[in-house]
Amino acid sequence: MGAKSLIDLLKLLPHPEGGYFRETYRSNEKTVNAEGANRSQSTAIYFLLENENKSHFHRIKSDELWFFHQGEPIEILYFENSELHTIQLGNDFLTGQVAQAVIPANVWFASRLAGGTGYGLVSCTVSPGFDFLDFEMATKQNLVAEFPDFSEIIEEMTLD
Ligand code: GUN
């Protein structure tokens, strides 16, 4: 199945960070996050990237779990302790891909298709649940200022 059919079938919509998504679960139970704000206990989304789509550098205030479903492997990039880390999310375990990944809360992260073509379909869950109030897109200027050694990839993977 092609990306377009899958986007239609799963009723995915463009995400502000790039790619396509639909929220598939939001708990009725509520919790309070580290800053004292009311949030759902957990949420889940489908997320799809196709071809040159990028999820541009952004951060959220919960750890985010990623689960690979189908298509081509997805590369997740994130900054931690001034280092750029990469994870290959896919099903080819023998080559080091993983089908589950955890992106720690509050780190800048981005993703793209590892091979740049086709599509990859994943799920992402967060707890406390997602709220756009906890979501921040990075600017090129600020991210390059924070991680000057990585300006090239930052240029490529930021929106503004
Ligand atoms: N709901 C809307 N956007 C997102 C996102 O980027 N991650 C998660 N986990 N849920 C979302």
Side-chain angles (χ1 to χ4, degrees):
M1 187 180 292
K4 287 283 171 289
S5 316
L6 209 46
I7 288 166
D8 286 349
L9 198 68
L10 298 178
K11 300 185 168 57
L12 308 184
L13 294 172
H15 197 291
E17 77 198 36
Y20 297 85
F21 83 114
R22 179 168 56 87
E23 188 173 278
T24 53
Y25 173 72
R26 175 168 291 271
S27 65
N28 288 322
E29 295 295 314
K30 303 290 180 198
T31 189
V32 171
N33 71 10
E35 295 169 348
N38 292 313
R39 297 287 180 262
S40 301
Q41 272 190 359
S42 70
T43 55
I45 56 169
Y46 278 132
F47 184 62
L48 181 145
L49 292 171
E50 67 166 329
N51 297 323
E52 72 292 341
N53 279 175
K54 288 166 184 43
S55 161
H56 298 87
F57 274 106
H58 64 288
R59 64 183 174 188
I60 56 177
K61 293 180 180 171
S62 297
D63 293 346
E64 185 164 59
L65 278 65
W66 288 57
F67 305 93
F68 185 78
H69 294 306
Q70 68 182 61
E72 303 301 321
I74 284 179
E75 178 176 60
I76 310 173
L77 307 96
Y78 66 99
F79 287 105
E80 200 175 31
N81 303 321
S82 302
E83 297 284 342
L84 181 66
H85 300 265
T86 59
I87 295 171
Q88 309 294 322
L89 199 73
N91 284 332
D92 194 352
F93 301 139
L94 291 177
T95 64
Q97 295 173 11
V98 293
Q100 288 188 358
V102 181
I103 305 303
N106 304 309
V107 307
W108 294 112
F109 69 106
S111 61
R112 60 184 172 186
L113 285 167
T117 57
Y119 73 85
L121 176 69
V122 303
S123 283
C124 301
T125 70
V126 289
S127 176
F130 186 87
D131 191 306
F132 275 104
L133 292 173
D134 303 328
F135 172 89
E136 185 185 1
M137 295 298 303
T139 65
K140 278 190 208 319
Q141 199 185 0
N142 290 353
L143 214 55
V144 169
E146 194 174 346
F147 304 105
D149 292 347
F150 301 98
S151 57
E152 203 170 312
I153 189 76
I154 292 170
E155 289 286 337
E156 202 180 323
M157 301 293 289
T158 44
L159 252 188
D160 75 323

PDB file of all heavy atoms in Angstrom, residues 15-17 21-23 26 43-45 47 58 60 63-65 109 123-126 129-132 135, ligand 1:
ATOM      1  N   HIS A  15       1.004  17.204  10.424  1.00  0.00           N
ATOM      2  CA  HIS A  15       1.423  17.634  11.770  1.00  0.00           C
ATOM      3  C   HIS A  15       2.254  18.906  11.631  1.00  0.00           C
ATOM      4  O   HIS A  15       3.029  19.014  10.667  1.00  0.00           O
ATOM      5  CB  HIS A  15       2.255  16.528  12.427  1.00  0.00           C
ATOM      6  CG  HIS A  15       2.388  16.693  13.909  1.00  0.00           C
ATOM      7  ND1 HIS A  15       3.117  17.705  14.471  1.00  0.00           N
ATOM      8  CD2 HIS A  15       1.868  15.993  14.939  1.00  0.00           C
ATOM      9  CE1 HIS A  15       3.036  17.618  15.793  1.00  0.00           C
ATOM     10  NE2 HIS A  15       2.291  16.581  16.100  1.00  0.00           N
ATOM     11  N   PRO A  16       2.117  19.882  12.562  1.00  0.00           N
ATOM     12  CA  PRO A  16       2.919  21.114  12.448  1.00  0.00           C
ATOM     13  C   PRO A  16       4.428  20.869  12.410  1.00  0.00           C
ATOM     14  O   PRO A  16       5.182  21.682  11.858  1.00  0.00           O
ATOM     15  CB  PRO A  16       2.547  21.928  13.700  1.00  0.00           C
ATOM     16  CG  PRO A  16       1.413  21.226  14.357  1.00  0.00           C
ATOM     17  CD  PRO A  16       1.172  19.909  13.682  1.00  0.00           C
ATOM     18  N   GLU A  17       4.903  19.747  12.966  1.00  0.00           N
ATOM     19  CA  GLU A  17       6.349  19.468  12.956  1.00  0.00           C
ATOM     20  C   GLU A  17       6.786  18.840  11.633  1.00  0.00           C
ATOM     21  O   GLU A  17       7.980  18.685  11.369  1.00  0.00           O
ATOM     22  CB  GLU A  17       6.711  18.535  14.116  1.00  0.00           C
ATOM     23  CG  GLU A  17       6.348  17.078  13.884  1.00  0.00           C
ATOM     24  CD  GLU A  17       6.286  16.226  15.150  1.00  0.00           C
ATOM     25  OE1 GLU A  17       5.853  16.744  16.195  1.00  0.00           O
ATOM     26  OE2 GLU A  17       6.675  15.054  15.071  1.00  0.00           O
ATOM     27  N   PHE A  21      -0.309  12.673  11.052  1.00  0.00           N
ATOM     28  CA  PHE A  21      -0.619  11.994  12.311  1.00  0.00           C
ATOM     29  C   PHE A  21      -2.118  11.967  12.564  1.00  0.00           C
ATOM     30  O   PHE A  21      -2.893  12.705  11.959  1.00  0.00           O
ATOM     31  CB  PHE A  21       0.075  12.691  13.483  1.00  0.00           C
ATOM     32  CG  PHE A  21      -0.689  13.887  14.014  1.00  0.00           C
ATOM     33  CD1 PHE A  21      -1.236  13.877  15.295  1.00  0.00           C
ATOM     34  CD2 PHE A  21      -0.897  15.015  13.229  1.00  0.00           C
ATOM     35  CE1 PHE A  21      -1.950  14.965  15.784  1.00  0.00           C
ATOM     36  CE2 PHE A  21      -1.610  16.108  13.706  1.00  0.00           C
ATOM     37  CZ  PHE A  21      -2.136  16.081  14.985  1.00  0.00           C
ATOM     38  N   ARG A  22      -2.501  11.107  13.456  1.00  0.00           N
ATOM     39  CA  ARG A  22      -3.842  11.166  14.060  1.00  0.00           C
ATOM     40  C   ARG A  22      -3.746  10.637  15.480  1.00  0.00           C
ATOM     41  O   ARG A  22      -3.136   9.593  15.719  1.00  0.00           O
ATOM     42  CB  ARG A  22      -4.868  10.335  13.282  1.00  0.00           C
ATOM     43  CG  ARG A  22      -6.277  10.369  13.942  1.00  0.00           C
ATOM     44  CD  ARG A  22      -7.366   9.806  13.034  1.00  0.00           C
ATOM     45  NE  ARG A  22      -7.085   8.457  12.604  1.00  0.00           N
ATOM     46  CZ  ARG A  22      -7.431   7.361  13.291  1.00  0.00           C
ATOM     47  NH1 ARG A  22      -8.037   7.462  14.461  1.00  0.00           N
ATOM     48  NH2 ARG A  22      -7.144   6.175  12.806  1.00  0.00           N
ATOM     49  N   GLU A  23      -4.352  11.369  16.403  1.00  0.00           N
ATOM     50  CA  GLU A  23      -4.392  10.880  17.787  1.00  0.00           C
ATOM     51  C   GLU A  23      -5.386   9.720  17.852  1.00  0.00           C
ATOM     52  O   GLU A  23      -6.531   9.860  17.423  1.00  0.00           O
ATOM     53  CB  GLU A  23      -4.805  11.999  18.731  1.00  0.00           C
ATOM     54  CG  GLU A  23      -4.666  11.595  20.195  1.00  0.00           C
ATOM     55  CD  GLU A  23      -4.921  12.755  21.136  1.00  0.00           C
ATOM     56  OE1 GLU A  23      -3.986  13.555  21.356  1.00  0.00           O
ATOM     57  OE2 GLU A  23      -6.054  12.862  21.640  1.00  0.00           O
ATOM     58  N   ARG A  26      -6.639   8.859  23.975  1.00  0.00           N
ATOM     59  CA  ARG A  26      -6.417   9.868  25.026  1.00  0.00           C
ATOM     60  C   ARG A  26      -7.130   9.338  26.256  1.00  0.00           C
ATOM     61  O   ARG A  26      -8.339   9.108  26.230  1.00  0.00           O
ATOM     62  CB  ARG A  26      -6.955  11.236  24.581  1.00  0.00           C
ATOM     63  CG  ARG A  26      -6.868  12.316  25.656  1.00  0.00           C
ATOM     64  CD  ARG A  26      -7.130  13.703  25.085  1.00  0.00           C
ATOM     65  NE  ARG A  26      -6.047  14.128  24.205  1.00  0.00           N
ATOM     66  CZ  ARG A  26      -4.954  14.792  24.617  1.00  0.00           C
ATOM     67  NH1 ARG A  26      -4.797  15.123  25.889  1.00  0.00           N
ATOM     68  NH2 ARG A  26      -4.024  15.123  23.743  1.00  0.00           N
ATOM     69  N   THR A  43      -1.457   9.503  25.984  1.00  0.00           N
ATOM     70  CA  THR A  43      -2.034   9.634  24.641  1.00  0.00           C
ATOM     71  C   THR A  43      -1.199   8.813  23.668  1.00  0.00           C
ATOM     72  O   THR A  43      -0.039   8.485  23.944  1.00  0.00           O
ATOM     73  CB  THR A  43      -2.047  11.104  24.161  1.00  0.00           C
ATOM     74  OG1 THR A  43      -0.718  11.624  24.251  1.00  0.00           O
ATOM     75  CG2 THR A  43      -2.993  11.976  24.959  1.00  0.00           C
ATOM     76  N   ALA A  44      -1.809   8.494  22.529  1.00  0.00           N
ATOM     77  CA  ALA A  44      -1.098   7.770  21.462  1.00  0.00           C
ATOM     78  C   ALA A  44      -1.474   8.380  20.116  1.00  0.00           C
ATOM     79  O   ALA A  44      -2.600   8.868  19.934  1.00  0.00           O
ATOM     80  CB  ALA A  44      -1.481   6.294  21.477  1.00  0.00           C
ATOM     81  N   ILE A  45      -0.515   8.347  19.199  1.00  0.00           N
ATOM     82  CA  ILE A  45      -0.791   8.763  17.810  1.00  0.00           C
ATOM     83  C   ILE A  45      -0.206   7.745  16.833  1.00  0.00           C
ATOM     84  O   ILE A  45       0.760   7.043  17.149  1.00  0.00           O
ATOM     85  CB  ILE A  45      -0.185  10.150  17.448  1.00  0.00           C
ATOM     86  CG1 ILE A  45       1.338  10.180  17.694  1.00  0.00           C
ATOM     87  CG2 ILE A  45      -0.875  11.255  18.193  1.00  0.00           C
ATOM     88  CD1 ILE A  45       2.031  11.422  17.102  1.00  0.00           C
ATOM     89  N   PHE A  47       1.865   8.037  13.360  1.00  0.00           N
ATOM     90  CA  PHE A  47       2.678   9.080  12.735  1.00  0.00           C
ATOM     91  C   PHE A  47       3.316   8.489  11.484  1.00  0.00           C
ATOM     92  O   PHE A  47       3.816   7.356  11.519  1.00  0.00           O
ATOM     93  CB  PHE A  47       3.746   9.579  13.719  1.00  0.00           C
ATOM     94  CG  PHE A  47       4.576  10.712  13.197  1.00  0.00           C
ATOM     95  CD1 PHE A  47       3.994  11.928  12.867  1.00  0.00           C
ATOM     96  CD2 PHE A  47       5.944  10.574  13.033  1.00  0.00           C
ATOM     97  CE1 PHE A  47       4.749  12.976  12.374  1.00  0.00           C
ATOM     98  CE2 PHE A  47       6.712  11.619  12.549  1.00  0.00           C
ATOM     99  CZ  PHE A  47       6.117  12.820  12.222  1.00  0.00           C
ATOM    100  N   HIS A  58      12.032  19.569  17.463  1.00  0.00           N
ATOM    101  CA  HIS A  58      11.051  20.093  18.415  1.00  0.00           C
ATOM    102  C   HIS A  58      11.294  19.392  19.743  1.00  0.00           C
ATOM    103  O   HIS A  58      12.102  18.458  19.830  1.00  0.00           O
ATOM    104  CB  HIS A  58       9.619  19.832  17.912  1.00  0.00           C
ATOM    105  CG  HIS A  58       9.248  18.388  17.802  1.00  0.00           C
ATOM    106  ND1 HIS A  58       9.762  17.566  16.824  1.00  0.00           N
ATOM    107  CD2 HIS A  58       8.439  17.599  18.560  1.00  0.00           C
ATOM    108  CE1 HIS A  58       9.266  16.355  16.966  1.00  0.00           C
ATOM    109  NE2 HIS A  58       8.477  16.338  18.023  1.00  0.00           N
ATOM    110  N   ILE A  60       9.149  18.156  23.621  1.00  0.00           N
ATOM    111  CA  ILE A  60       7.918  18.061  24.404  1.00  0.00           C
ATOM    112  C   ILE A  60       8.319  17.747  25.849  1.00  0.00           C
ATOM    113  O   ILE A  60       9.496  17.450  26.114  1.00  0.00           O
ATOM    114  CB  ILE A  60       6.945  16.985  23.837  1.00  0.00           C
ATOM    115  CG1 ILE A  60       7.620  15.625  23.749  1.00  0.00           C
ATOM    116  CG2 ILE A  60       6.425  17.411  22.472  1.00  0.00           C
ATOM    117  CD1 ILE A  60       6.670  14.513  23.262  1.00  0.00           C
ATOM    118  N   ASP A  63       8.531  11.977  28.244  1.00  0.00           N
ATOM    119  CA  ASP A  63       9.236  10.962  27.460  1.00  0.00           C
ATOM    120  C   ASP A  63       8.286  10.505  26.361  1.00  0.00           C
ATOM    121  O   ASP A  63       7.078  10.383  26.594  1.00  0.00           O
ATOM    122  CB  ASP A  63       9.568   9.731  28.325  1.00  0.00           C
ATOM    123  CG  ASP A  63      10.594  10.028  29.414  1.00  0.00           C
ATOM    124  OD1 ASP A  63      11.253  11.083  29.362  1.00  0.00           O
ATOM    125  OD2 ASP A  63      10.718   9.169  30.311  1.00  0.00           O
ATOM    126  N   GLU A  64       8.834  10.247  25.184  1.00  0.00           N
ATOM    127  CA  GLU A  64       7.986   9.759  24.083  1.00  0.00           C
ATOM    128  C   GLU A  64       8.473   8.382  23.648  1.00  0.00           C
ATOM    129  O   GLU A  64       9.638   8.198  23.319  1.00  0.00           O
ATOM    130  CB  GLU A  64       8.000  10.724  22.894  1.00  0.00           C
ATOM    131  CG  GLU A  64       7.033  10.289  21.797  1.00  0.00           C
ATOM    132  CD  GLU A  64       6.732  11.398  20.797  1.00  0.00           C
ATOM    133  OE1 GLU A  64       7.685  11.894  20.174  1.00  0.00           O
ATOM    134  OE2 GLU A  64       5.568  11.796  20.659  1.00  0.00           O
ATOM    135  N   LEU A  65       7.559   7.414  23.622  1.00  0.00           N
ATOM    136  CA  LEU A  65       7.864   6.062  23.151  1.00  0.00           C
ATOM    137  C   LEU A  65       7.448   5.946  21.699  1.00  0.00           C
ATOM    138  O   LEU A  65       6.340   6.370  21.343  1.00  0.00           O
ATOM    139  CB  LEU A  65       7.104   5.013  23.980  1.00  0.00           C
ATOM    140  CG  LEU A  65       7.736   4.630  25.316  1.00  0.00           C
ATOM    141  CD1 LEU A  65       7.753   5.797  26.270  1.00  0.00           C
ATOM    142  CD2 LEU A  65       6.980   3.470  25.926  1.00  0.00           C
ATOM    143  N   PHE A 109      14.434  16.870  19.332  1.00  0.00           N
ATOM    144  CA  PHE A 109      14.513  15.698  18.461  1.00  0.00           C
ATOM    145  C   PHE A 109      13.804  15.926  17.146  1.00  0.00           C
ATOM    146  O   PHE A 109      12.958  16.822  17.017  1.00  0.00           O
ATOM    147  CB  PHE A 109      14.034  14.426  19.181  1.00  0.00           C
ATOM    148  CG  PHE A 109      12.553  14.359  19.483  1.00  0.00           C
ATOM    149  CD1 PHE A 109      11.719  13.529  18.745  1.00  0.00           C
ATOM    150  CD2 PHE A 109      12.001  15.105  20.514  1.00  0.00           C
ATOM    151  CE1 PHE A 109      10.361  13.437  19.026  1.00  0.00           C
ATOM    152  CE2 PHE A 109      10.641  15.029  20.792  1.00  0.00           C
ATOM    153  CZ  PHE A 109       9.817  14.195  20.052  1.00  0.00           C
ATOM    154  N   SER A 123       3.915   4.420  15.724  1.00  0.00           N
ATOM    155  CA  SER A 123       3.068   5.002  16.756  1.00  0.00           C
ATOM    156  C   SER A 123       3.959   5.697  17.771  1.00  0.00           C
ATOM    157  O   SER A 123       5.108   5.268  17.992  1.00  0.00           O
ATOM    158  CB  SER A 123       2.248   3.925  17.480  1.00  0.00           C
ATOM    159  OG  SER A 123       1.167   3.517  16.692  1.00  0.00           O
ATOM    160  N   CYS A 124       3.441   6.747  18.376  1.00  0.00           N
ATOM    161  CA  CYS A 124       4.152   7.449  19.444  1.00  0.00           C
ATOM    162  C   CYS A 124       3.189   7.588  20.614  1.00  0.00           C
ATOM    163  O   CYS A 124       2.026   7.973  20.416  1.00  0.00           O
ATOM    164  CB  CYS A 124       4.576   8.847  18.999  1.00  0.00           C
ATOM    165  SG  CYS A 124       5.643   8.871  17.550  1.00  0.00           S
ATOM    166  N   THR A 125       3.677   7.294  21.805  1.00  0.00           N
ATOM    167  CA  THR A 125       2.846   7.490  22.993  1.00  0.00           C
ATOM    168  C   THR A 125       3.605   8.364  23.986  1.00  0.00           C
ATOM    169  O   THR A 125       4.841   8.331  24.036  1.00  0.00           O
ATOM    170  CB  THR A 125       2.471   6.155  23.680  1.00  0.00           C
ATOM    171  OG1 THR A 125       3.625   5.595  24.287  1.00  0.00           O
ATOM    172  CG2 THR A 125       1.883   5.168  22.694  1.00  0.00           C
ATOM    173  N   VAL A 126       2.852   9.157  24.727  1.00  0.00           N
ATOM    174  CA  VAL A 126       3.452   9.963  25.798  1.00  0.00           C
ATOM    175  C   VAL A 126       2.591   9.882  27.053  1.00  0.00           C
ATOM    176  O   VAL A 126       1.374   9.729  26.986  1.00  0.00           O
ATOM    177  CB  VAL A 126       3.642  11.452  25.411  1.00  0.00           C
ATOM    178  CG1 VAL A 126       4.738  11.621  24.395  1.00  0.00           C
ATOM    179  CG2 VAL A 126       2.364  12.084  24.921  1.00  0.00           C
ATOM    180  N   GLY A 129      -0.055  12.827  29.026  1.00  0.00           N
ATOM    181  CA  GLY A 129      -0.508  12.912  27.651  1.00  0.00           C
ATOM    182  C   GLY A 129      -0.099  14.190  26.938  1.00  0.00           C
ATOM    183  O   GLY A 129       0.236  15.202  27.565  1.00  0.00           O
ATOM    184  N   PHE A 130      -0.150  14.113  25.591  1.00  0.00           N
ATOM    185  CA  PHE A 130       0.291  15.228  24.759  1.00  0.00           C
ATOM    186  C   PHE A 130      -0.629  16.439  24.902  1.00  0.00           C
ATOM    187  O   PHE A 130      -1.848  16.319  24.945  1.00  0.00           O
ATOM    188  CB  PHE A 130       0.318  14.796  23.288  1.00  0.00           C
ATOM    189  CG  PHE A 130       0.900  15.842  22.391  1.00  0.00           C
ATOM    190  CD1 PHE A 130       2.264  15.907  22.171  1.00  0.00           C
ATOM    191  CD2 PHE A 130       0.079  16.781  21.780  1.00  0.00           C
ATOM    192  CE1 PHE A 130       2.814  16.887  21.357  1.00  0.00           C
ATOM    193  CE2 PHE A 130       0.616  17.765  20.962  1.00  0.00           C
ATOM    194  CZ  PHE A 130       1.981  17.809  20.749  1.00  0.00           C
ATOM    195  N   ASP A 131      -0.001  17.618  24.911  1.00  0.00           N
ATOM    196  CA  ASP A 131      -0.728  18.884  24.847  1.00  0.00           C
ATOM    197  C   ASP A 131       0.148  19.846  24.050  1.00  0.00           C
ATOM    198  O   ASP A 131       1.366  19.923  24.313  1.00  0.00           O
ATOM    199  CB  ASP A 131      -0.974  19.425  26.262  1.00  0.00           C
ATOM    200  CG  ASP A 131      -1.959  20.588  26.242  1.00  0.00           C
ATOM    201  OD1 ASP A 131      -1.743  21.561  25.497  1.00  0.00           O
ATOM    202  OD2 ASP A 131      -2.955  20.513  26.984  1.00  0.00           O
ATOM    203  N   PHE A 132      -0.436  20.553  23.084  1.00  0.00           N
ATOM    204  CA  PHE A 132       0.378  21.485  22.296  1.00  0.00           C
ATOM    205  C   PHE A 132       1.024  22.568  23.167  1.00  0.00           C
ATOM    206  O   PHE A 132       2.001  23.190  22.757  1.00  0.00           O
ATOM    207  CB  PHE A 132      -0.424  22.063  21.123  1.00  0.00           C
ATOM    208  CG  PHE A 132      -0.411  21.159  19.908  1.00  0.00           C
ATOM    209  CD1 PHE A 132      -1.513  20.393  19.572  1.00  0.00           C
ATOM    210  CD2 PHE A 132       0.744  21.044  19.125  1.00  0.00           C
ATOM    211  CE1 PHE A 132      -1.485  19.534  18.471  1.00  0.00           C
ATOM    212  CE2 PHE A 132       0.790  20.190  18.021  1.00  0.00           C
ATOM    213  CZ  PHE A 132      -0.330  19.434  17.693  1.00  0.00           C
ATOM    214  N   PHE A 135       4.600  21.625  23.646  1.00  0.00           N
ATOM    215  CA  PHE A 135       5.250  21.363  22.360  1.00  0.00           C
ATOM    216  C   PHE A 135       5.929  22.635  21.890  1.00  0.00           C
ATOM    217  O   PHE A 135       5.303  23.693  21.874  1.00  0.00           O
ATOM    218  CB  PHE A 135       4.158  20.930  21.376  1.00  0.00           C
ATOM    219  CG  PHE A 135       4.587  20.789  19.951  1.00  0.00           C
ATOM    220  CD1 PHE A 135       5.093  19.590  19.484  1.00  0.00           C
ATOM    221  CD2 PHE A 135       4.438  21.844  19.054  1.00  0.00           C
ATOM    222  CE1 PHE A 135       5.461  19.439  18.154  1.00  0.00           C
ATOM    223  CE2 PHE A 135       4.805  21.699  17.717  1.00  0.00           C
ATOM    224  CZ  PHE A 135       5.312  20.495  17.269  1.00  0.00           C
TER     225      PHE A 135
HETATM  226  N1  GUN B   1      -0.311  14.464  19.551  1.00  0.00           N
HETATM  227  C1  GUN B   1      -0.161  15.466  18.693  1.00  0.00           C
HETATM  228  N2  GUN B   1       1.125  15.610  18.344  1.00  0.00           N
HETATM  229  C2  GUN B   1       1.800  14.674  19.004  1.00  0.00           C
HETATM  230  C3  GUN B   1       3.166  14.324  19.042  1.00  0.00           C
HETATM  231  O1  GUN B   1       4.023  14.905  18.396  1.00  0.00           O
HETATM  232  N3  GUN B   1       3.474  13.296  19.864  1.00  0.00           N
HETATM  233  C4  GUN B   1       2.540  12.629  20.577  1.00  0.00           C
HETATM  234  N4  GUN B   1       2.950  11.613  21.313  1.00  0.00           N
HETATM  235  N5  GUN B   1       1.278  12.938  20.551  1.00  0.00           N
HETATM  236  C5  GUN B   1       0.905  13.948  19.760  1.00  0.00           C
END
